[in-house]
Coordinates of all heavy atoms in Angstrom, one line a residue:
M29 N -5.5 2.3 -13.9 CA -4.4 2.6 -12.9 C -3.5 3.6 -13.6 O -2.6 4.1 -12.9 CB -3.7 1.4 -12.5 CG -4.5 0.5 -11.6 SD -5.0 1.5 -10.2 CE -5.1 0.3 -8.9
S30 N -3.6 3.9 -14.8 CA -2.7 4.8 -15.5 C -2.8 6.2 -14.9 O -1.8 7.0 -14.8 CB -2.9 4.9 -17.0 OG -4.2 5.4 -17.3
G31 N -4.0 6.6 -14.4 CA -4.2 7.9 -13.7 C -3.4 8.0 -12.5 O -2.8 9.0 -12.2
I32 N -3.3 6.9 -11.7 CA -2.6 6.9 -10.5 C -1.1 7.0 -10.8 O -0.3 7.7 -10.1 CB -2.9 5.6 -9.6 CG1 -4.4 5.7 -9.1 CG2 -1.9 5.5 -8.5 CD1 -4.9 4.5 -8.5
N33 N -0.6 6.3 -11.8 CA 0.8 6.3 -12.2 C 1.2 7.7 -12.6 O 2.3 8.2 -12.4 CB 1.1 5.3 -13.2 CG 1.1 3.9 -12.6 OD1 1.4 3.7 -11.5 ND2 0.8 2.9 -13.5
N34 N 0.2 8.4 -13.4 CA 0.5 9.7 -13.8 C 0.7 10.7 -12.7 O 1.6 11.5 -12.6 CB -0.7 10.2 -14.7 CG -0.4 11.5 -15.4 OD1 0.7 11.9 -15.5 ND2 -1.5 12.2 -15.7
V35 N -0.2 10.6 -11.7 CA 0.0 11.4 -10.5 C 1.3 11.1 -9.7 O 2.0 12.0 -9.3 CB -1.3 11.3 -9.5 CG1 -1.0 12.0 -8.2 CG2 -2.5 11.9 -10.2
K36 N 1.6 9.8 -9.6 CA 2.8 9.4 -9.0 C 4.0 10.0 -9.6 O 4.9 10.6 -9.0 CB 2.9 7.9 -9.0 CG 4.1 7.4 -8.3 CD 4.1 5.8 -8.3 CE 5.4 5.3 -7.8 NZ 5.5 3.8 -8.0
N37 N 4.1 10.0 -11.0 CA 5.2 10.6 -11.7 C 5.2 12.1 -11.5 O 6.3 12.7 -11.3 CB 5.1 10.3 -13.2 CG 5.3 8.8 -13.5 OD1 6.0 8.1 -12.7 ND2 4.8 8.3 -14.6
R38 N 4.1 12.8 -11.5 CA 4.1 14.2 -11.2 C 4.5 14.6 -9.8 O 5.2 15.5 -9.6 CB 2.7 14.8 -11.5 CG 2.3 14.8 -12.9 CD 0.9 15.4 -13.1 NE 0.9 16.8 -12.8 CZ -0.2 17.5 -12.7 NH1 -1.3 17.0 -13.0 NH2 -0.1 18.8 -12.4
L39 N 4.1 13.7 -8.8 CA 4.6 13.9 -7.5 C 6.1 13.8 -7.4 O 6.7 14.6 -6.7 CB 3.9 12.9 -6.5 CG 2.4 13.1 -6.2 CD1 2.0 11.9 -5.4 CD2 2.2 14.4 -5.5
E40 N 6.7 12.8 -8.0 CA 8.1 12.6 -8.0 C 8.8 13.9 -8.5 O 9.8 14.4 -8.0 CB 8.5 11.4 -8.7 CG 8.1 10.1 -8.0 CD 8.4 8.9 -8.8 OE1 8.8 9.0 -10.0 OE2 8.1 7.8 -8.3
G41 N 8.3 14.4 -9.6 CA 8.9 15.6 -10.3 C 8.8 16.8 -9.4 O 9.7 17.6 -9.2
I42 N 7.6 17.0 -8.7 CA 7.5 18.1 -7.8 C 8.4 18.0 -6.6 O 9.1 19.0 -6.3 CB 6.0 18.2 -7.3 CG1 5.1 18.6 -8.4 CG2 5.9 19.2 -6.1 CD1 3.6 18.5 -8.1
F43 N 8.5 16.9 -6.0 CA 9.4 16.7 -4.8 C 10.8 16.8 -5.2 O 11.7 17.3 -4.4 CB 9.1 15.5 -4.0 CG 7.8 15.6 -3.3 CD1 6.7 14.7 -3.5 CD2 7.6 16.6 -2.4 CE1 5.5 14.9 -2.9 CE2 6.4 16.8 -1.7 CZ 5.3 15.9 -2.0
L44 N 11.2 16.3 -6.4 CA 12.6 16.5 -6.8 C 12.9 17.9 -7.1 O 14.0 18.4 -6.7 CB 12.9 15.6 -8.1 CG 12.9 14.1 -7.9 CD1 13.1 13.5 -9.3 CD2 14.1 13.7 -7.0
R45 N 12.0 18.6 -7.7 CA 12.2 20.1 -8.0 C 12.3 20.9 -6.7 O 13.1 21.8 -6.5 CB 11.1 20.6 -8.9 CG 11.3 22.0 -9.3 CD 10.2 22.5 -10.3 NE 8.9 22.5 -9.7 CZ 7.9 21.8 -10.1 NH1 8.0 21.0 -11.1 NH2 6.7 21.9 -9.5
D46 N 11.4 20.6 -5.8 CA 11.3 21.4 -4.5 C 12.2 20.8 -3.4 O 12.2 21.4 -2.3 CB 9.8 21.4 -4.0 CG 8.9 22.2 -5.0 OD1 9.5 23.0 -5.8 OD2 7.7 22.1 -4.9
R47 N 12.9 19.7 -3.6 CA 13.8 19.1 -2.7 C 13.0 18.8 -1.3 O 13.6 19.1 -0.3 CB 15.0 20.0 -2.4 CG 15.8 20.2 -3.7 CD 17.0 21.1 -3.4 NE 17.5 21.7 -4.6 CZ 18.4 21.2 -5.4 NH1 18.9 20.1 -5.0 NH2 18.8 21.8 -6.4
G48 N 11.8 18.4 -1.4 CA 11.1 18.0 -0.2 C 10.3 19.2 0.5 O 9.6 19.0 1.4
N49 N 10.6 20.4 0.0 CA 9.8 21.6 0.6 C 8.4 21.6 0.0 O 8.2 21.4 -1.2 CB 10.5 22.9 0.2 CG 11.9 22.9 0.8 OD1 12.1 22.4 1.9 ND2 12.9 23.5 0.1
L50 N 7.5 21.8 0.8 CA 6.1 21.8 0.4 C 5.4 23.1 0.8 O 5.1 23.3 1.9 CB 5.4 20.6 1.1 CG 4.0 20.2 0.6 CD1 4.1 19.8 -0.9 CD2 3.4 19.1 1.4
D51 N 5.2 24.0 -0.2 CA 4.5 25.2 0.1 C 3.0 25.0 -0.1 O 2.6 24.0 -0.6 CB 5.1 26.3 -0.8 CG 4.9 26.1 -2.3 OD1 4.1 25.2 -2.7 OD2 5.6 26.7 -3.1
E52 N 2.3 26.1 0.2 CA 0.8 26.0 0.1 C 0.3 25.7 -1.3 O -0.6 24.9 -1.5 CB 0.2 27.2 0.7 CG -1.4 27.1 0.9 CD -1.8 26.0 1.8 OE1 -1.1 25.7 2.8 OE2 -2.9 25.4 1.6
A53 N 0.9 26.4 -2.3 CA 0.5 26.2 -3.7 C 0.7 24.8 -4.1 O -0.2 24.2 -4.8 CB 1.2 27.2 -4.6
T54 N 1.8 24.2 -3.8 CA 2.1 22.8 -4.1 C 1.2 21.8 -3.4 O 0.7 20.9 -4.0 CB 3.6 22.4 -3.8 OG1 4.5 23.3 -4.4 CG2 3.9 21.0 -4.2
A55 N 0.9 22.1 -2.2 CA 0.0 21.3 -1.4 C -1.4 21.3 -2.1 O -2.1 20.2 -2.2 CB -0.1 21.7 0.0
Q56 N -1.9 22.5 -2.5 CA -3.2 22.5 -3.1 C -3.2 21.8 -4.5 O -4.2 21.2 -4.8 CB -3.6 24.0 -3.3 CG -3.9 24.7 -2.0 CD -5.0 24.0 -1.3 OE1 -6.0 23.6 -1.8 NE2 -4.9 24.0 0.1
L57 N -2.1 21.9 -5.2 CA -2.0 21.2 -6.5 C -2.1 19.7 -6.3 O -2.8 19.0 -7.0 CB -0.7 21.5 -7.2 CG -0.4 20.8 -8.5 CD1 -1.4 21.1 -9.6 CD2 1.1 21.1 -8.9
L58 N -1.4 19.2 -5.2 CA -1.4 17.8 -4.9 C -2.8 17.3 -4.5 O -3.3 16.3 -5.0 CB -0.4 17.4 -3.8 CG 1.1 17.6 -4.2 CD1 1.9 17.5 -3.0 CD2 1.5 16.7 -5.3
K59 N -3.4 18.1 -3.7 CA -4.8 17.7 -3.2 C -5.7 17.7 -4.4 O -6.5 16.7 -4.5 CB -5.3 18.8 -2.2 CG -4.7 18.7 -0.9 CD -5.2 19.8 0.0 CE -4.5 19.8 1.4 NZ -5.0 20.9 2.3
S60 N -5.6 18.6 -5.3 CA -6.5 18.6 -6.5 C -6.2 17.4 -7.4 O -7.2 16.8 -7.9 CB -6.2 19.9 -7.3 OG -6.9 19.9 -8.5
D61 N -5.0 17.1 -7.6 CA -4.6 15.9 -8.5 C -5.1 14.6 -7.8 O -5.7 13.8 -8.5 CB -3.1 15.9 -8.7 CG -2.7 16.8 -9.8 OD1 -3.5 17.5 -10.4 OD2 -1.4 16.9 -10.0
L62 N -4.9 14.5 -6.5 CA -5.3 13.2 -5.9 C -6.8 13.1 -5.9 O -7.4 12.0 -6.1 CB -4.8 13.2 -4.4 CG -3.3 13.1 -4.3 CD1 -2.9 13.3 -2.8 CD2 -2.9 11.7 -4.7
S63 N -7.5 14.2 -5.7 CA -9.0 14.2 -5.7 C -9.5 13.8 -7.1 O -10.4 13.0 -7.2 CB -9.5 15.6 -5.3 OG -10.9 15.6 -5.4
A64 N -8.9 14.4 -8.1 CA -9.3 14.1 -9.5 C -9.1 12.6 -9.8 O -10.0 12.0 -10.5 CB -8.5 14.9 -10.5
V65 N -8.0 12.0 -9.4 CA -7.8 10.6 -9.7 C -8.9 9.7 -8.9 O -9.5 8.8 -9.5 CB -6.4 10.2 -9.3 CG1 -6.3 8.6 -9.3 CG2 -5.4 10.8 -10.2
L66 N -9.1 10.0 -7.7 CA -10.1 9.3 -6.9 C -11.5 9.4 -7.5 O -12.3 8.5 -7.5 CB -10.0 9.6 -5.4 CG -8.8 9.2 -4.7 CD1 -8.8 9.8 -3.3 CD2 -8.7 7.7 -4.7
E67 N -11.8 10.6 -8.0 CA -13.2 10.8 -8.5 C -13.4 10.1 -9.8 O -14.6 10.0 -10.2 CB -13.4 12.3 -8.7 CG -13.6 13.1 -7.4 CD -13.7 14.6 -7.5 OE1 -13.3 15.1 -8.6 OE2 -14.2 15.2 -6.6
K68 N -12.4 9.6 -10.4 CA -12.6 8.7 -11.6 C -13.2 7.3 -11.2 O -13.8 6.7 -12.0 CB -11.3 8.5 -12.4 CG -10.8 9.7 -13.1 CD -9.5 9.4 -13.8 CE -9.0 10.6 -14.5 NZ -7.8 10.4 -15.3
F69 N -12.9 6.9 -10.0 CA -13.3 5.6 -9.5 C -14.4 5.7 -8.4 O -15.0 4.7 -8.2 CB -12.1 4.9 -9.0 CG -11.0 4.7 -10.0 CD1 -9.9 5.6 -10.0 CD2 -11.1 3.8 -11.0 CE1 -8.9 5.5 -10.9 CE2 -10.1 3.6 -11.9 CZ -9.0 4.5 -11.9
F70 N -14.5 6.8 -7.7 CA -15.5 6.9 -6.6 C -16.3 8.2 -6.7 O -15.8 9.2 -7.1 CB -14.7 6.9 -5.3 CG -13.9 5.7 -5.1 CD1 -12.5 5.7 -5.4 CD2 -14.4 4.5 -4.6 CE1 -11.7 4.6 -5.2 CE2 -13.6 3.4 -4.4 CZ -12.3 3.4 -4.7
A71 N -17.5 8.1 -6.2 CA -18.3 9.3 -5.9 C -18.0 9.7 -4.5 O -18.5 9.2 -3.5 CB -19.8 9.0 -6.1
L72 N -17.0 10.7 -4.4 CA -16.5 11.0 -3.1 C -17.5 11.8 -2.2 O -18.2 12.7 -2.7 CB -15.3 11.9 -3.2 CG -14.0 11.3 -3.8 CD1 -12.9 12.3 -3.9 CD2 -13.6 10.0 -3.0
E73 N -17.6 11.3 -1.0 CA -18.5 12.0 0.0 C -17.6 12.7 1.0 O -18.0 13.7 1.6 CB -19.3 11.0 0.7 CG -20.3 10.3 -0.2 CD -21.0 9.1 0.5 OE1 -20.7 8.8 1.6 OE2 -21.8 8.4 -0.2
K74 N -16.4 12.3 1.2 CA -15.4 12.8 2.1 C -14.0 12.7 1.5 O -13.7 11.7 1.0 CB -15.5 12.1 3.5 CG -14.5 12.5 4.5 CD -14.7 11.7 5.8 CE -13.5 12.0 6.7 NZ -13.6 11.1 7.9
F75 N -13.2 13.8 1.6 CA -11.9 13.7 1.1 C -11.0 14.7 1.9 O -11.3 15.8 2.1 CB -11.8 14.2 -0.4 CG -10.5 14.2 -1.0 CD1 -9.8 13.0 -1.3 CD2 -9.8 15.4 -1.2 CE1 -8.6 13.1 -1.9 CE2 -8.6 15.4 -1.7 CZ -7.9 14.3 -2.1
E76 N -10.0 14.1 2.5 CA -9.0 14.9 3.3 C -7.6 14.5 3.0 O -7.3 13.3 2.8 CB -9.2 14.6 4.8 CG -10.6 15.0 5.4 CD -10.7 14.6 6.8 OE1 -9.7 14.3 7.5 OE2 -11.9 14.5 7.3
V77 N -6.7 15.4 3.0 CA -5.3 15.1 2.7 C -4.5 15.9 3.8 O -4.8 17.1 4.0 CB -4.8 15.6 1.3 CG1 -3.4 15.3 1.1 CG2 -5.6 14.9 0.2
A78 N -3.5 15.2 4.4 CA -2.6 15.9 5.3 C -1.2 15.6 4.9 O -0.8 14.5 4.5 CB -2.9 15.4 6.7
F79 N -0.3 16.7 5.0 CA 1.1 16.5 4.7 C 1.9 16.8 5.9 O 1.5 17.7 6.7 CB 1.5 17.6 3.6 CG 0.7 17.4 2.3 CD1 -0.4 18.2 2.1 CD2 1.1 16.5 1.4 CE1 -1.1 18.1 0.9 CE2 0.4 16.4 0.2 CZ -0.7 17.2 -0.1
S80 N 2.9 16.1 6.1 CA 3.9 16.4 7.2 C 5.3 16.0 6.8 O 5.5 15.0 6.2 CB 3.4 15.7 8.5 OG 3.4 14.3 8.3
L81 N 6.2 16.8 7.1 CA 7.6 16.6 6.8 C 8.2 15.6 7.8 O 7.9 15.7 9.0 CB 8.4 17.9 6.9 CG 8.1 18.9 5.8 CD1 8.8 20.2 6.0 CD2 8.4 18.4 4.4
I82 N 8.9 14.6 7.3 CA 9.6 13.6 8.2 C 11.1 13.7 7.9 O 11.5 14.4 7.1 CB 9.0 12.2 8.0 CG1 9.1 11.8 6.5 CG2 7.6 12.2 8.5 CD1 8.6 10.4 6.3
D83 N 11.9 12.9 8.6 CA 13.3 12.9 8.5 C 13.8 12.7 7.1 O 13.1 12.0 6.3 CB 13.9 11.8 9.4 CG 13.7 12.1 10.8 OD1 13.5 13.2 11.2 OD2 13.7 11.1 11.6
G84 N 14.9 13.3 6.7 CA 15.5 13.2 5.4 C 14.9 13.9 4.3 O 15.1 13.6 3.2
G85 N 14.1 14.9 4.6 CA 13.4 15.7 3.6 C 12.2 15.0 3.0 O 11.7 15.5 2.0
K86 N 11.8 13.9 3.5 CA 10.6 13.2 3.0 C 9.3 13.8 3.5 O 9.3 14.5 4.5 CB 10.7 11.7 3.3 CG 11.9 11.0 2.7 CD 11.9 9.6 3.1 CE 13.1 8.9 2.5 NZ 13.1 7.4 2.9
V87 N 8.3 13.6 2.7 CA 7.0 14.1 3.1 C 6.0 12.9 3.2 O 5.9 12.1 2.4 CB 6.4 15.1 2.0 CG1 5.0 15.5 2.3 CG2 7.3 16.2 1.8
D88 N 5.4 12.9 4.4 CA 4.4 11.9 4.7 C 3.0 12.4 4.2 O 2.6 13.5 4.6 CB 4.3 11.6 6.2 CG 3.4 10.4 6.5 OD1 3.3 9.5 5.7 OD2 2.8 10.5 7.6
I89 N 2.3 11.7 3.3 CA 1.0 12.1 2.8 C 0.0 11.1 3.3 O 0.1 9.9 3.1 CB 1.0 12.1 1.3 CG1 2.2 13.0 0.7 CG2 -0.3 12.5 0.7 CD1 2.4 12.9 -0.8
T90 N -1.0 11.7 4.0 CA -2.1 10.8 4.5 C -3.4 11.3 3.8 O -3.8 12.4 3.8 CB -2.3 11.1 6.0 OG1 -1.1 10.8 6.7 CG2 -3.4 10.2 6.6
V91 N -4.0 10.3 3.1 CA -5.3 10.6 2.4 C -6.4 9.8 3.0 O -6.3 8.6 3.2 CB -5.1 10.2 0.9 CG1 -6.4 10.4 0.2 CG2 -4.0 10.9 0.2
K92 N -7.5 10.5 3.3 CA -8.7 9.8 3.9 C -9.8 10.2 2.9 O -10.1 11.3 2.7 CB -9.0 10.3 5.3 CG -7.9 9.9 6.3 CD -8.3 10.4 7.7 CE -7.3 10.0 8.7 NZ -7.6 10.4 10.1
A93 N -10.4 9.2 2.4 CA -11.5 9.4 1.5 C -12.6 8.4 1.7 O -12.4 7.2 2.1 CB -11.0 9.3 0.0
A94 N -13.8 8.8 1.5 CA -15.0 7.9 1.6 C -15.9 8.2 0.5 O -16.1 9.4 0.1 CB -15.7 8.1 3.0
G95 N -16.5 7.2 -0.1 CA -17.5 7.4 -1.1 C -17.9 6.1 -1.7 O -17.6 5.0 -1.2
R96 N -18.7 6.2 -2.7 CA -19.3 5.0 -3.4 C -18.4 4.7 -4.6 O -18.1 5.6 -5.4 CB -20.7 5.2 -3.8 CG -21.6 5.4 -2.5 CD -23.0 5.3 -2.9 NE -23.9 5.5 -1.8 CZ -24.3 4.6 -1.0 NH1 -23.9 3.3 -1.2 NH2 -25.0 4.8 0.0
R97 N -18.2 3.4 -4.8 CA -17.4 3.0 -6.0 C -18.3 3.2 -7.3 O -19.5 2.8 -7.3 CB -17.0 1.5 -5.9 CG -16.1 1.0 -7.0 CD -15.7 -0.3 -6.8 NE -16.9 -1.2 -6.8 CZ -16.8 -2.5 -6.6 NH1 -15.7 -3.1 -6.2 NH2 -17.9 -3.2 -6.7
L98 N -17.7 3.7 -8.3 CA -18.4 3.8 -9.6 C -18.1 2.6 -10.4 O -17.1 2.0 -10.3 CB -17.9 5.1 -10.3 CG -18.0 6.4 -9.6 CD1 -17.3 7.5 -10.5 CD2 -19.5 6.7 -9.5
R99 N -19.1 2.2 -11.2 CA -18.9 1.1 -12.1 C -18.2 1.6 -13.4 O -18.7 2.5 -14.1 CB -20.2 0.5 -12.5 CG -20.9 -0.2 -11.3 CD -22.1 -1.0 -11.8 NE -22.8 -1.5 -10.6 CZ -22.5 -2.7 -10.0 NH1 -21.5 -3.4 -10.4 NH2 -23.2 -3.1 -9.0
I100 N -17.1 1.0 -13.7 CA -16.3 1.4 -14.9 C -16.2 0.2 -15.8 O -15.8 -0.8 -15.4 CB -14.9 1.9 -14.5 CG1 -15.0 3.2 -13.6 CG2 -14.1 2.2 -15.7 CD1 -13.7 3.7 -13.1
K101 N -16.5 0.5 -17.0 CA -16.4 -0.6 -18.0 C -15.0 -0.8 -18.4 O -14.3 0.2 -18.7 CB -17.3 -0.3 -19.3 CG -18.8 -0.2 -19.0 CD -19.5 0.2 -20.3 CE -21.0 0.4 -20.0 NZ -21.7 0.8 -21.2
P102 N -14.5 -2.0 -18.5 CA -13.1 -2.2 -18.9 C -12.9 -1.8 -20.4 O -13.8 -1.9 -21.2 CB -12.9 -3.7 -18.8 CG -14.2 -4.3 -18.4 CD -15.2 -3.2 -18.2
E103 N -11.7 -1.2 -20.6 CA -11.5 -0.7 -22.0 C -11.0 -1.9 -22.9 O -10.5 -2.8 -22.5 CB -10.4 0.3 -21.9 CG -10.9 1.6 -21.2 CD -9.8 2.6 -21.1 OE1 -8.8 2.5 -21.7 OE2 -10.1 3.6 -20.3

């Protein structure tokens, strides 16, 4: 789960820096990071991300993914 926390921290930094504004380059960076985290745990067959601005400068992120779970040995 440290990968998910790492992405979460990066997302917070991006949104604090951009004050909720989401340009195309930032959206592509987020999609890439989210995909990379999911690919550590799943063999993705389908991956979609949608962003929409909501009240108060917040961004709603919808992720739809489908795939097979990978077997990961505990560390």
Side-chain angles (χ1 to χ4, degrees):
M29 289 304 210
S30 63
I32 292 173
N33 287 332
N34 186 25
V35 170
K36 182 179 170 185
N37 290 335
R38 288 181 67 188
L39 288 174
E40 289 172 358
I42 289 170
F43 287 120
L44 288 175
R45 185 176 65 239
D46 293 343
R47 301 177 199 270
N49 296 324
L50 191 63
D51 60 16
E52 188 60 33
T54 303
Q56 290 304 320
L57 175 66
L58 294 173
K59 287 178 185 178
S60 175
D61 283 354
L62 291 169
S63 175
V65 169
L66 289 174
E67 286 174 343
K68 289 182 181 182
F69 304 99
F70 302 96
L72 294 178
E73 297 169 1
K74 177 182 170 185
F75 178 76
E76 297 175 19
V77 179
F79 302 97
S80 58
L81 295 173
I82 55 177
D83 294 337
K86 295 181 180 179
V87 178
D88 185 33
I89 303 171
T90 304
V91 178
K92 294 182 181 179
R96 297 191 180 271
R97 184 177 68 185
L98 299 175
R99 295 191 185 270
I100 299 178
K101 296 179 183 178
E103 295 178 10

